[in-house]
PDB file of all heavy atoms in Angstrom:
ATOM      1  N   ARG N 557     -19.073 -18.048  -9.861  1.00 96.00           N
ATOM      2  CA  ARG N 557     -18.582 -18.940 -10.887  1.00 96.00           C
ATOM      3  C   ARG N 557     -17.390 -18.345 -11.630  1.00 96.00           C
ATOM      4  O   ARG N 557     -16.525 -19.054 -12.114  1.00 96.00           O
ATOM      5  CB  ARG N 557     -19.686 -19.281 -11.880  1.00 96.00           C
ATOM      6  CG  ARG N 557     -20.852 -20.039 -11.229  1.00 96.00           C
ATOM      7  CD  ARG N 557     -20.443 -21.442 -10.749  1.00 96.00           C
ATOM      8  NE  ARG N 557     -19.643 -22.202 -11.700  1.00 96.00           N
ATOM      9  CZ  ARG N 557     -20.155 -22.865 -12.741  1.00 96.00           C
ATOM     10  NH1 ARG N 557     -21.459 -22.910 -12.881  1.00 96.00           N
ATOM     11  NH2 ARG N 557     -19.383 -23.495 -13.573  1.00 96.00           N
ATOM     12  N   PHE N 581     -13.123 -30.290   0.672  1.00 94.00           N
ATOM     13  CA  PHE N 581     -11.793 -30.137   0.074  1.00 94.00           C
ATOM     14  C   PHE N 581     -11.833 -28.982  -0.908  1.00 94.00           C
ATOM     15  O   PHE N 581     -12.815 -28.697  -1.532  1.00 94.00           O
ATOM     16  CB  PHE N 581     -11.428 -31.401  -0.674  1.00 94.00           C
ATOM     17  CG  PHE N 581     -11.578 -32.669   0.093  1.00 94.00           C
ATOM     18  CD1 PHE N 581     -12.755 -33.323   0.199  1.00 94.00           C
ATOM     19  CD2 PHE N 581     -10.460 -33.256   0.703  1.00 94.00           C
ATOM     20  CE1 PHE N 581     -12.909 -34.502   0.962  1.00 94.00           C
ATOM     21  CE2 PHE N 581     -10.610 -34.451   1.416  1.00 94.00           C
ATOM     22  CZ  PHE N 581     -11.786 -35.092   1.544  1.00 94.00           C
ATOM     23  N   TYR N 583      -9.558 -27.742  -4.333  1.00 96.00           N
ATOM     24  CA  TYR N 583      -8.507 -28.060  -5.296  1.00 96.00           C
ATOM     25  C   TYR N 583      -8.388 -26.906  -6.320  1.00 96.00           C
ATOM     26  O   TYR N 583      -9.290 -26.106  -6.484  1.00 96.00           O
ATOM     27  CB  TYR N 583      -8.873 -29.311  -6.122  1.00 96.00           C
ATOM     28  CG  TYR N 583      -9.004 -30.573  -5.403  1.00 96.00           C
ATOM     29  CD1 TYR N 583     -10.206 -30.980  -4.765  1.00 96.00           C
ATOM     30  CD2 TYR N 583      -7.901 -31.457  -5.301  1.00 96.00           C
ATOM     31  CE1 TYR N 583     -10.306 -32.184  -4.077  1.00 96.00           C
ATOM     32  CE2 TYR N 583      -8.001 -32.676  -4.651  1.00 96.00           C
ATOM     33  CZ  TYR N 583      -9.201 -33.020  -4.027  1.00 96.00           C
ATOM     34  OH  TYR N 583      -9.279 -34.233  -3.348  1.00 96.00           O
ATOM     35  N   GLN N 585      -7.146 -26.315 -10.387  1.00 95.00           N
ATOM     36  CA  GLN N 585      -6.906 -27.094 -11.644  1.00 95.00           C
ATOM     37  C   GLN N 585      -6.187 -26.192 -12.582  1.00 95.00           C
ATOM     38  O   GLN N 585      -6.650 -25.134 -13.028  1.00 95.00           O
ATOM     39  CB  GLN N 585      -8.230 -27.598 -12.261  1.00 95.00           C
ATOM     40  CG  GLN N 585      -7.980 -28.499 -13.478  1.00 95.00           C
ATOM     41  CD  GLN N 585      -9.279 -29.078 -14.003  1.00 95.00           C
ATOM     42  OE1 GLN N 585     -10.366 -28.450 -13.944  1.00 95.00           O
ATOM     43  NE2 GLN N 585      -9.213 -30.308 -14.504  1.00 95.00           N
ATOM     44  N   GLY N 588      -1.884 -29.156 -17.336  1.00 75.00           N
ATOM     45  CA  GLY N 588      -0.627 -29.923 -17.149  1.00 75.00           C
ATOM     46  C   GLY N 588      -0.396 -30.395 -15.722  1.00 75.00           C
ATOM     47  O   GLY N 588       0.513 -31.187 -15.421  1.00 75.00           O
ATOM     48  N   GLY N 590      -3.324 -31.195 -13.592  1.00 84.00           N
ATOM     49  CA  GLY N 590      -4.475 -31.942 -13.046  1.00 84.00           C
ATOM     50  C   GLY N 590      -5.097 -31.148 -11.916  1.00 84.00           C
ATOM     51  O   GLY N 590      -5.100 -29.914 -11.940  1.00 84.00           O
ATOM     52  N   LEU N 591      -5.521 -31.853 -10.922  1.00 91.00           N
ATOM     53  CA  LEU N 591      -6.177 -31.277  -9.703  1.00 91.00           C
ATOM     54  C   LEU N 591      -5.202 -31.360  -8.533  1.00 91.00           C
ATOM     55  O   LEU N 591      -4.719 -32.427  -8.228  1.00 91.00           O
ATOM     56  CB  LEU N 591      -7.471 -31.989  -9.389  1.00 91.00           C
ATOM     57  CG  LEU N 591      -8.589 -31.726 -10.386  1.00 91.00           C
ATOM     58  CD1 LEU N 591      -9.524 -32.927 -10.524  1.00 91.00           C
ATOM     59  CD2 LEU N 591      -9.402 -30.508  -9.936  1.00 91.00           C
ATOM     60  N   LEU N 593      -4.530 -30.446  -4.386  1.00 92.00           N
ATOM     61  CA  LEU N 593      -5.187 -30.157  -3.127  1.00 92.00           C
ATOM     62  C   LEU N 593      -4.636 -28.932  -2.456  1.00 92.00           C
ATOM     63  O   LEU N 593      -3.415 -28.866  -2.202  1.00 92.00           O
ATOM     64  CB  LEU N 593      -5.145 -31.380  -2.247  1.00 92.00           C
ATOM     65  CG  LEU N 593      -5.910 -31.365  -0.951  1.00 92.00           C
ATOM     66  CD1 LEU N 593      -7.400 -31.249  -1.219  1.00 92.00           C
ATOM     67  CD2 LEU N 593      -5.585 -32.576  -0.118  1.00 92.00           C
ATOM     68  N   TYR N 596      -8.099 -28.925   3.207  1.00 92.00           N
ATOM     69  CA  TYR N 596      -9.224 -29.791   3.447  1.00 92.00           C
ATOM     70  C   TYR N 596      -9.638 -29.778   4.912  1.00 92.00           C
ATOM     71  O   TYR N 596      -8.845 -29.352   5.781  1.00 92.00           O
ATOM     72  CB  TYR N 596      -8.870 -31.209   3.003  1.00 92.00           C
ATOM     73  CG  TYR N 596      -7.697 -31.871   3.613  1.00 92.00           C
ATOM     74  CD1 TYR N 596      -7.830 -32.855   4.676  1.00 92.00           C
ATOM     75  CD2 TYR N 596      -6.409 -31.580   3.190  1.00 92.00           C
ATOM     76  CE1 TYR N 596      -6.732 -33.416   5.208  1.00 92.00           C
ATOM     77  CE2 TYR N 596      -5.281 -32.153   3.758  1.00 92.00           C
ATOM     78  CZ  TYR N 596      -5.473 -33.089   4.744  1.00 92.00           C
ATOM     79  OH  TYR N 596      -4.384 -33.677   5.339  1.00 92.00           O
ATOM     80  N   TYR N 598     -12.001 -32.188   7.910  1.00 87.00           N
ATOM     81  CA  TYR N 598     -12.704 -33.394   8.277  1.00 87.00           C
ATOM     82  C   TYR N 598     -13.901 -33.102   9.161  1.00 87.00           C
ATOM     83  O   TYR N 598     -14.537 -34.030   9.651  1.00 87.00           O
ATOM     84  CB  TYR N 598     -11.764 -34.355   8.860  1.00 87.00           C
ATOM     85  CG  TYR N 598     -10.817 -35.023   7.852  1.00 87.00           C
ATOM     86  CD1 TYR N 598      -9.613 -35.522   8.357  1.00 87.00           C
ATOM     87  CD2 TYR N 598     -11.080 -35.167   6.591  1.00 87.00           C
ATOM     88  CE1 TYR N 598      -8.665 -36.082   7.461  1.00 87.00           C
ATOM     89  CE2 TYR N 598     -10.171 -35.737   5.681  1.00 87.00           C
ATOM     90  CZ  TYR N 598      -8.993 -36.193   6.142  1.00 87.00           C
ATOM     91  OH  TYR N 598      -8.096 -36.751   5.293  1.00 87.00           O
ATOM     92  N   PHE N 638     -11.983 -25.826  -7.527  1.00 97.00           N
ATOM     93  CA  PHE N 638     -13.094 -26.776  -7.286  1.00 97.00           C
ATOM     94  C   PHE N 638     -13.158 -27.150  -5.802  1.00 97.00           C
ATOM     95  O   PHE N 638     -12.115 -27.446  -5.130  1.00 97.00           O
ATOM     96  CB  PHE N 638     -12.869 -28.105  -8.068  1.00 97.00           C
ATOM     97  CG  PHE N 638     -13.096 -27.876  -9.569  1.00 97.00           C
ATOM     98  CD1 PHE N 638     -12.038 -27.717 -10.402  1.00 97.00           C
ATOM     99  CD2 PHE N 638     -14.384 -27.882 -10.091  1.00 97.00           C
ATOM    100  CE1 PHE N 638     -12.199 -27.539 -11.793  1.00 97.00           C
ATOM    101  CE2 PHE N 638     -14.593 -27.713 -11.445  1.00 97.00           C
ATOM    102  CZ  PHE N 638     -13.488 -27.534 -12.304  1.00 97.00           C
ATOM    103  N   GLY N 646     -12.870 -39.285   8.261  1.00 57.00           N
ATOM    104  CA  GLY N 646     -11.470 -39.480   7.914  1.00 57.00           C
ATOM    105  C   GLY N 646     -11.188 -39.278   6.481  1.00 57.00           C
ATOM    106  O   GLY N 646     -10.043 -39.533   5.975  1.00 57.00           O
ATOM    107  N   GLY N 647     -12.153 -38.791   5.718  1.00 54.00           N
ATOM    108  CA  GLY N 647     -11.901 -38.472   4.273  1.00 54.00           C
ATOM    109  C   GLY N 647     -11.673 -39.724   3.465  1.00 54.00           C
ATOM    110  O   GLY N 647     -10.826 -39.744   2.498  1.00 54.00           O
ATOM    111  N   LEU N 648     -12.336 -40.771   3.757  1.00 56.00           N
ATOM    112  CA  LEU N 648     -11.989 -42.068   3.097  1.00 56.00           C
ATOM    113  C   LEU N 648     -12.996 -42.534   2.140  1.00 56.00           C
ATOM    114  O   LEU N 648     -13.186 -43.717   1.938  1.00 56.00           O
ATOM    115  CB  LEU N 648     -11.810 -43.082   4.255  1.00 56.00           C
ATOM    116  CG  LEU N 648     -10.806 -42.802   5.313  1.00 56.00           C
ATOM    117  CD1 LEU N 648     -10.705 -43.897   6.283  1.00 56.00           C
ATOM    118  CD2 LEU N 648      -9.455 -42.422   4.796  1.00 56.00           C
ATOM    119  N   ASP N 649     -13.713 -41.632   1.498  1.00 73.00           N
ATOM    120  CA  ASP N 649     -14.738 -42.115   0.560  1.00 73.00           C
ATOM    121  C   ASP N 649     -14.847 -41.253  -0.641  1.00 73.00           C
ATOM    122  O   ASP N 649     -14.120 -40.225  -0.793  1.00 73.00           O
ATOM    123  CB  ASP N 649     -16.071 -42.249   1.275  1.00 73.00           C
ATOM    124  CG  ASP N 649     -16.883 -43.408   0.707  1.00 73.00           C
ATOM    125  OD1 ASP N 649     -16.909 -43.529  -0.555  1.00 73.00           O
ATOM    126  OD2 ASP N 649     -17.491 -44.137   1.484  1.00 73.00           O
ATOM    127  N   THR N 650     -15.815 -41.537  -1.488  1.00 82.00           N
ATOM    128  CA  THR N 650     -15.966 -40.846  -2.718  1.00 82.00           C
ATOM    129  C   THR N 650     -16.147 -39.330  -2.577  1.00 82.00           C
ATOM    130  O   THR N 650     -16.899 -38.939  -1.735  1.00 82.00           O
ATOM    131  CB  THR N 650     -17.140 -41.396  -3.523  1.00 82.00           C
ATOM    132  OG1 THR N 650     -16.930 -42.824  -3.680  1.00 82.00           O
ATOM    133  CG2 THR N 650     -17.317 -40.721  -4.830  1.00 82.00           C
ATOM    134  N   GLN N 651     -15.413 -38.589  -3.339  1.00 88.00           N
ATOM    135  CA  GLN N 651     -15.521 -37.133  -3.316  1.00 88.00           C
ATOM    136  C   GLN N 651     -16.409 -36.667  -4.446  1.00 88.00           C
ATOM    137  O   GLN N 651     -16.295 -37.094  -5.569  1.00 88.00           O
ATOM    138  CB  GLN N 651     -14.185 -36.484  -3.421  1.00 88.00           C
ATOM    139  CG  GLN N 651     -13.282 -36.757  -2.146  1.00 88.00           C
ATOM    140  CD  GLN N 651     -11.964 -36.027  -2.196  1.00 88.00           C
ATOM    141  OE1 GLN N 651     -11.825 -35.044  -2.879  1.00 88.00           O
ATOM    142  NE2 GLN N 651     -11.038 -36.522  -1.463  1.00 88.00           N
ATOM    143  N   PHE N 653     -17.759 -33.310  -6.536  1.00 94.00           N
ATOM    144  CA  PHE N 653     -17.213 -32.002  -6.865  1.00 94.00           C
ATOM    145  C   PHE N 653     -18.306 -30.972  -7.181  1.00 94.00           C
ATOM    146  O   PHE N 653     -19.348 -31.267  -7.767  1.00 94.00           O
ATOM    147  CB  PHE N 653     -16.253 -32.059  -8.038  1.00 94.00           C
ATOM    148  CG  PHE N 653     -14.910 -32.664  -7.671  1.00 94.00           C
ATOM    149  CD1 PHE N 653     -14.790 -34.017  -7.507  1.00 94.00           C
ATOM    150  CD2 PHE N 653     -13.825 -31.855  -7.482  1.00 94.00           C
ATOM    151  CE1 PHE N 653     -13.519 -34.548  -7.185  1.00 94.00           C
ATOM    152  CE2 PHE N 653     -12.592 -32.343  -7.136  1.00 94.00           C
ATOM    153  CZ  PHE N 653     -12.430 -33.700  -6.996  1.00 94.00           C
ATOM    154  N   GLY N 654     -18.020 -29.683  -6.898  1.00 95.00           N
ATOM    155  CA  GLY N 654     -18.863 -28.565  -7.311  1.00 95.00           C
ATOM    156  C   GLY N 654     -18.500 -28.173  -8.741  1.00 95.00           C
ATOM    157  O   GLY N 654     -17.649 -28.760  -9.393  1.00 95.00           O
ATOM    158  N   PRO N 655     -19.212 -27.156  -9.265  1.00 95.00           N
ATOM    159  CA  PRO N 655     -19.063 -26.775 -10.650  1.00 95.00           C
ATOM    160  C   PRO N 655     -17.846 -25.908 -10.945  1.00 95.00           C
ATOM    161  O   PRO N 655     -17.482 -25.707 -12.128  1.00 95.00           O
ATOM    162  CB  PRO N 655     -20.312 -25.969 -10.920  1.00 95.00           C
ATOM    163  CG  PRO N 655     -20.690 -25.347  -9.611  1.00 95.00           C
ATOM    164  CD  PRO N 655     -20.303 -26.412  -8.627  1.00 95.00           C
TER     165      PRO N 655
ATOM    166  N   TYR R 737      -7.660 -47.124  -2.847  1.00 89.00           N
ATOM    167  CA  TYR R 737      -8.927 -46.740  -3.469  1.00 89.00           C
ATOM    168  C   TYR R 737      -8.620 -45.932  -4.730  1.00 89.00           C
ATOM    169  O   TYR R 737      -7.781 -44.968  -4.641  1.00 89.00           O
ATOM    170  CB  TYR R 737      -9.744 -45.925  -2.496  1.00 89.00           C
ATOM    171  CG  TYR R 737     -11.005 -45.281  -3.082  1.00 89.00           C
ATOM    172  CD1 TYR R 737     -12.026 -46.094  -3.544  1.00 89.00           C
ATOM    173  CD2 TYR R 737     -11.166 -43.931  -3.150  1.00 89.00           C
ATOM    174  CE1 TYR R 737     -13.206 -45.552  -4.098  1.00 89.00           C
ATOM    175  CE2 TYR R 737     -12.271 -43.363  -3.673  1.00 89.00           C
ATOM    176  CZ  TYR R 737     -13.330 -44.155  -4.118  1.00 89.00           C
ATOM    177  OH  TYR R 737     -14.488 -43.600  -4.687  1.00 89.00           O
ATOM    178  N   TYR R 741     -12.771 -40.066 -12.717  1.00 96.00           N
ATOM    179  CA  TYR R 741     -13.665 -38.998 -12.912  1.00 96.00           C
ATOM    180  C   TYR R 741     -13.700 -38.548 -14.360  1.00 96.00           C
ATOM    181  O   TYR R 741     -12.690 -38.551 -15.052  1.00 96.00           O
ATOM    182  CB  TYR R 741     -13.213 -37.782 -12.062  1.00 96.00           C
ATOM    183  CG  TYR R 741     -13.428 -37.942 -10.572  1.00 96.00           C
ATOM    184  CD1 TYR R 741     -12.504 -38.571  -9.790  1.00 96.00           C
ATOM    185  CD2 TYR R 741     -14.603 -37.386 -10.003  1.00 96.00           C
ATOM    186  CE1 TYR R 741     -12.713 -38.715  -8.398  1.00 96.00           C
ATOM    187  CE2 TYR R 741     -14.796 -37.538  -8.637  1.00 96.00           C
ATOM    188  CZ  TYR R 741     -13.880 -38.226  -7.897  1.00 96.00           C
ATOM    189  OH  TYR R 741     -14.106 -38.326  -6.512  1.00 96.00           O
ATOM    190  N   GLN R 743     -14.724 -35.196 -16.677  1.00 96.00           N
ATOM    191  CA  GLN R 743     -14.961 -33.773 -16.608  1.00 96.00           C
ATOM    192  C   GLN R 743     -15.350 -33.211 -17.991  1.00 96.00           C
ATOM    193  O   GLN R 743     -14.543 -33.223 -18.901  1.00 96.00           O
ATOM    194  CB  GLN R 743     -13.738 -32.983 -16.064  1.00 96.00           C
ATOM    195  CG  GLN R 743     -14.042 -31.560 -15.832  1.00 96.00           C
ATOM    196  CD  GLN R 743     -12.806 -30.828 -15.205  1.00 96.00           C
ATOM    197  OE1 GLN R 743     -11.681 -31.269 -15.316  1.00 96.00           O
ATOM    198  NE2 GLN R 743     -13.121 -29.758 -14.554  1.00 96.00           N
ATOM    199  N   GLY R 746     -16.439 -26.912 -18.761  1.00 88.00           N
ATOM    200  CA  GLY R 746     -17.124 -25.910 -17.890  1.00 88.00           C
ATOM    201  C   GLY R 746     -17.776 -26.580 -16.687  1.00 88.00           C
ATOM    202  O   GLY R 746     -18.507 -25.892 -15.966  1.00 88.00           O
ATOM    203  N   LYS R 747     -17.521 -27.854 -16.400  1.00 91.00           N
ATOM    204  CA  LYS R 747     -18.163 -28.496 -15.282  1.00 91.00           C
ATOM    205  C   LYS R 747     -17.072 -29.114 -14.326  1.00 91.00           C
ATOM    206  O   LYS R 747     -15.956 -29.206 -14.655  1.00 91.00           O
ATOM    207  CB  LYS R 747     -19.109 -29.623 -15.762  1.00 91.00           C
ATOM    208  CG  LYS R 747     -20.269 -29.097 -16.581  1.00 91.00           C
ATOM    209  CD  LYS R 747     -21.211 -30.252 -16.953  1.00 91.00           C
ATOM    210  CE  LYS R 747     -22.371 -29.734 -17.737  1.00 91.00           C
ATOM    211  NZ  LYS R 747     -23.299 -30.846 -18.162  1.00 91.00           N
ATOM    212  N   GLY R 748     -17.598 -29.507 -13.183  1.00 93.00           N
ATOM    213  CA  GLY R 748     -16.648 -30.150 -12.201  1.00 93.00           C
ATOM    214  C   GLY R 748     -16.557 -31.616 -12.531  1.00 93.00           C
ATOM    215  O   GLY R 748     -17.382 -32.179 -13.253  1.00 93.00           O
ATOM    216  N   PRO R 749     -15.475 -32.263 -12.037  1.00 95.00           N
ATOM    217  CA  PRO R 749     -15.328 -33.695 -12.295  1.00 95.00           C
ATOM    218  C   PRO R 749     -16.454 -34.486 -11.652  1.00 95.00           C
ATOM    219  O   PRO R 749     -16.947 -34.172 -10.600  1.00 95.00           O
ATOM    220  CB  PRO R 749     -14.021 -34.003 -11.563  1.00 95.00           C
ATOM    221  CG  PRO R 749     -13.290 -32.700 -11.419  1.00 95.00           C
ATOM    222  CD  PRO R 749     -14.390 -31.682 -11.312  1.00 95.00           C
ATOM    223  N   LEU R 751     -17.709 -38.480 -10.742  1.00 93.00           N
ATOM    224  CA  LEU R 751     -17.219 -39.819 -10.584  1.00 93.00           C
ATOM    225  C   LEU R 751     -17.955 -40.761 -11.519  1.00 93.00           C
ATOM    226  O   LEU R 751     -19.218 -40.667 -11.667  1.00 93.00           O
ATOM    227  CB  LEU R 751     -17.553 -40.333  -9.125  1.00 93.00           C
ATOM    228  CG  LEU R 751     -17.144 -41.766  -8.868  1.00 93.00           C
ATOM    229  CD1 LEU R 751     -15.656 -41.836  -8.667  1.00 93.00           C
ATOM    230  CD2 LEU R 751     -17.859 -42.239  -7.558  1.00 93.00           C
ATOM    231  N   ASP R 754     -15.219 -46.525  -9.689  1.00 93.00           N
ATOM    232  CA  ASP R 754     -14.109 -46.597  -8.749  1.00 93.00           C
ATOM    233  C   ASP R 754     -13.838 -48.062  -8.400  1.00 93.00           C
ATOM    234  O   ASP R 754     -14.654 -48.944  -8.670  1.00 93.00           O
ATOM    235  CB  ASP R 754     -14.356 -45.781  -7.506  1.00 93.00           C
ATOM    236  CG  ASP R 754     -15.626 -46.226  -6.736  1.00 93.00           C
ATOM    237  OD1 ASP R 754     -16.259 -47.257  -7.027  1.00 93.00           O
ATOM    238  OD2 ASP R 754     -16.076 -45.445  -5.864  1.00 93.00           O
ATOM    239  N   ARG R 756     -11.693 -50.659  -5.396  1.00 88.00           N
ATOM    240  CA  ARG R 756     -10.905 -50.785  -4.221  1.00 88.00           C
ATOM    241  C   ARG R 756      -9.815 -51.851  -4.362  1.00 88.00           C
ATOM    242  O   ARG R 756      -9.952 -52.672  -5.269  1.00 88.00           O
ATOM    243  CB  ARG R 756     -11.831 -51.080  -3.070  1.00 88.00           C
ATOM    244  CG  ARG R 756     -12.613 -49.833  -2.607  1.00 88.00           C
ATOM    245  CD  ARG R 756     -13.868 -50.132  -1.829  1.00 88.00           C
ATOM    246  NE  ARG R 756     -14.489 -48.930  -1.301  1.00 88.00           N
ATOM    247  CZ  ARG R 756     -15.146 -48.030  -2.037  1.00 88.00           C
ATOM    248  NH1 ARG R 756     -15.389 -48.261  -3.303  1.00 88.00           N
ATOM    249  NH2 ARG R 756     -15.659 -46.948  -1.468  1.00 88.00           N
ATOM    250  N   PHE R 794      -9.946 -38.231 -15.475  1.00 96.00           N
ATOM    251  CA  PHE R 794      -8.853 -38.215 -14.459  1.00 96.00           C
ATOM    252  C   PHE R 794      -8.892 -39.481 -13.664  1.00 96.00           C
ATOM    253  O   PHE R 794      -9.988 -39.925 -13.222  1.00 96.00           O
ATOM    254  CB  PHE R 794      -9.077 -37.056 -13.510  1.00 96.00           C
ATOM    255  CG  PHE R 794      -8.831 -35.721 -14.110  1.00 96.00           C
ATOM    256  CD1 PHE R 794      -9.881 -34.907 -14.583  1.00 96.00           C
ATOM    257  CD2 PHE R 794      -7.578 -35.140 -14.135  1.00 96.00           C
ATOM    258  CE1 PHE R 794      -9.649 -33.682 -15.126  1.00 96.00           C
ATOM    259  CE2 PHE R 794      -7.316 -33.890 -14.664  1.00 96.00           C
ATOM    260  CZ  PHE R 794      -8.357 -33.146 -15.166  1.00 96.00           C
ATOM    261  N   LEU R 798      -5.984 -42.943  -3.588  1.00 86.00           N
ATOM    262  CA  LEU R 798      -6.175 -42.496  -2.239  1.00 86.00           C
ATOM    263  C   LEU R 798      -5.649 -43.534  -1.282  1.00 86.00           C
ATOM    264  O   LEU R 798      -5.915 -44.720  -1.390  1.00 86.00           O
ATOM    265  CB  LEU R 798      -7.611 -42.190  -1.929  1.00 86.00           C
ATOM    266  CG  LEU R 798      -7.967 -41.662  -0.541  1.00 86.00           C
ATOM    267  CD1 LEU R 798      -9.110 -40.630  -0.654  1.00 86.00           C
ATOM    268  CD2 LEU R 798      -8.412 -42.760   0.395  1.00 86.00           C
ATOM    269  N   ARG R 800      -5.840 -45.066   2.303  1.00 63.00           N
ATOM    270  CA  ARG R 800      -6.771 -45.105   3.381  1.00 63.00           C
ATOM    271  C   ARG R 800      -6.227 -45.863   4.593  1.00 63.00           C
ATOM    272  O   ARG R 800      -5.327 -46.736   4.471  1.00 63.00           O
ATOM    273  CB  ARG R 800      -7.965 -45.973   2.938  1.00 63.00           C
ATOM    274  CG  ARG R 800      -8.760 -45.354   1.836  1.00 63.00           C
ATOM    275  CD  ARG R 800      -9.925 -46.257   1.556  1.00 63.00           C
ATOM    276  NE  ARG R 800     -10.908 -45.629   0.707  1.00 63.00           N
ATOM    277  CZ  ARG R 800     -12.141 -46.020   0.665  1.00 63.00           C
ATOM    278  NH1 ARG R 800     -12.639 -46.959   1.440  1.00 63.00           N
ATOM    279  NH2 ARG R 800     -13.012 -45.386  -0.169  1.00 63.00           N
ATOM    280  N   ASN R 805      -2.548 -41.428   8.151  1.00 46.00           N
ATOM    281  CA  ASN R 805      -3.333 -41.320   6.911  1.00 46.00           C
ATOM    282  C   ASN R 805      -3.972 -39.972   6.804  1.00 46.00           C
ATOM    283  O   ASN R 805      -4.549 -39.476   7.744  1.00 46.00           O
ATOM    284  CB  ASN R 805      -4.371 -42.378   6.843  1.00 46.00           C
ATOM    285  CG  ASN R 805      -5.344 -42.182   5.740  1.00 46.00           C
ATOM    286  OD1 ASN R 805      -4.898 -42.064   4.581  1.00 46.00           O
ATOM    287  ND2 ASN R 805      -6.583 -42.112   6.014  1.00 46.00           N
ATOM    288  N   THR R 806      -3.870 -39.361   5.637  1.00 53.00           N
ATOM    289  CA  THR R 806      -4.539 -38.094   5.440  1.00 53.00           C
ATOM    290  C   THR R 806      -5.816 -38.247   4.611  1.00 53.00           C
ATOM    291  O   THR R 806      -6.555 -37.287   4.462  1.00 53.00           O
ATOM    292  CB  THR R 806      -3.602 -37.138   4.739  1.00 53.00           C
ATOM    293  OG1 THR R 806      -3.230 -37.681   3.455  1.00 53.00           O
ATOM    294  CG2 THR R 806      -2.323 -36.896   5.542  1.00 53.00           C
ATOM    295  N   GLY R 807      -5.992 -39.381   3.966  1.00 70.00           N
ATOM    296  CA  GLY R 807      -7.161 -39.605   3.157  1.00 70.00           C
ATOM    297  C   GLY R 807      -7.225 -38.679   1.954  1.00 70.00           C
ATOM    298  O   GLY R 807      -8.284 -38.234   1.549  1.00 70.00           O
ATOM    299  N   LYS R 808      -6.063 -38.331   1.411  1.00 79.00           N
ATOM    300  CA  LYS R 808      -6.047 -37.367   0.299  1.00 79.00           C
ATOM    301  C   LYS R 808      -6.089 -38.153  -1.018  1.00 79.00           C
ATOM    302  O   LYS R 808      -5.411 -39.128  -1.259  1.00 79.00           O
ATOM    303  CB  LYS R 808      -4.792 -36.546   0.365  1.00 79.00           C
ATOM    304  CG  LYS R 808      -4.782 -35.600   1.549  1.00 79.00           C
ATOM    305  CD  LYS R 808      -3.579 -34.727   1.540  1.00 79.00           C
ATOM    306  CE  LYS R 808      -2.243 -35.406   1.600  1.00 79.00           C
ATOM    307  NZ  LYS R 808      -1.111 -34.452   1.698  1.00 79.00           N
ATOM    308  N   LEU R 809      -6.857 -37.596  -1.955  1.00 86.00           N
ATOM    309  CA  LEU R 809      -6.854 -38.032  -3.365  1.00 86.00           C
ATOM    310  C   LEU R 809      -5.709 -37.355  -4.104  1.00 86.00           C
ATOM    311  O   LEU R 809      -5.559 -36.147  -4.034  1.00 86.00           O
ATOM    312  CB  LEU R 809      -8.178 -37.699  -4.071  1.00 86.00           C
ATOM    313  CG  LEU R 809      -9.329 -38.697  -3.949  1.00 86.00           C
ATOM    314  CD1 LEU R 809     -10.565 -38.077  -4.668  1.00 86.00           C
ATOM    315  CD2 LEU R 809      -8.940 -40.069  -4.479  1.00 86.00           C
ATOM    316  N   PHE R 811      -4.402 -36.891  -7.950  1.00 91.00           N
ATOM    317  CA  PHE R 811      -4.938 -37.084  -9.290  1.00 91.00           C
ATOM    318  C   PHE R 811      -3.803 -37.227 -10.302  1.00 91.00           C
ATOM    319  O   PHE R 811      -2.746 -36.673 -10.191  1.00 91.00           O
ATOM    320  CB  PHE R 811      -5.761 -35.842  -9.653  1.00 91.00           C
ATOM    321  CG  PHE R 811      -7.096 -35.808  -8.994  1.00 91.00           C
ATOM    322  CD1 PHE R 811      -7.240 -35.331  -7.690  1.00 91.00           C
ATOM    323  CD2 PHE R 811      -8.235 -36.269  -9.645  1.00 91.00           C
ATOM    324  CE1 PHE R 811      -8.485 -35.295  -7.055  1.00 91.00           C
ATOM    325  CE2 PHE R 811      -9.500 -36.246  -9.060  1.00 91.00           C
ATOM    326  CZ  PHE R 811      -9.602 -35.781  -7.745  1.00 91.00           C
TER     327      PHE R 811
END
Side-chain angles (χ1 to χ4, degrees):
Chain N
R557 295 295 312 279
F581 308 82
Y583 296 87
Q585 184 175 36
L591 289 148
L593 185 63
Y596 57 103
Y598 288 153
F638 289 98
L648 305 182
D649 213 318
T650 301
Q651 294 184 21
F653 284 79
Chain R
Y737 173 64
Y741 286 85
Q743 186 177 23
K747 297 184 179 180
L751 179 76
D754 56 12
R756 286 158 172 78
F794 290 96
L798 181 143
R800 296 182 168 202
N805 170 53
T806 61
K808 295 185 296 185
L809 273 178
F811 284 84

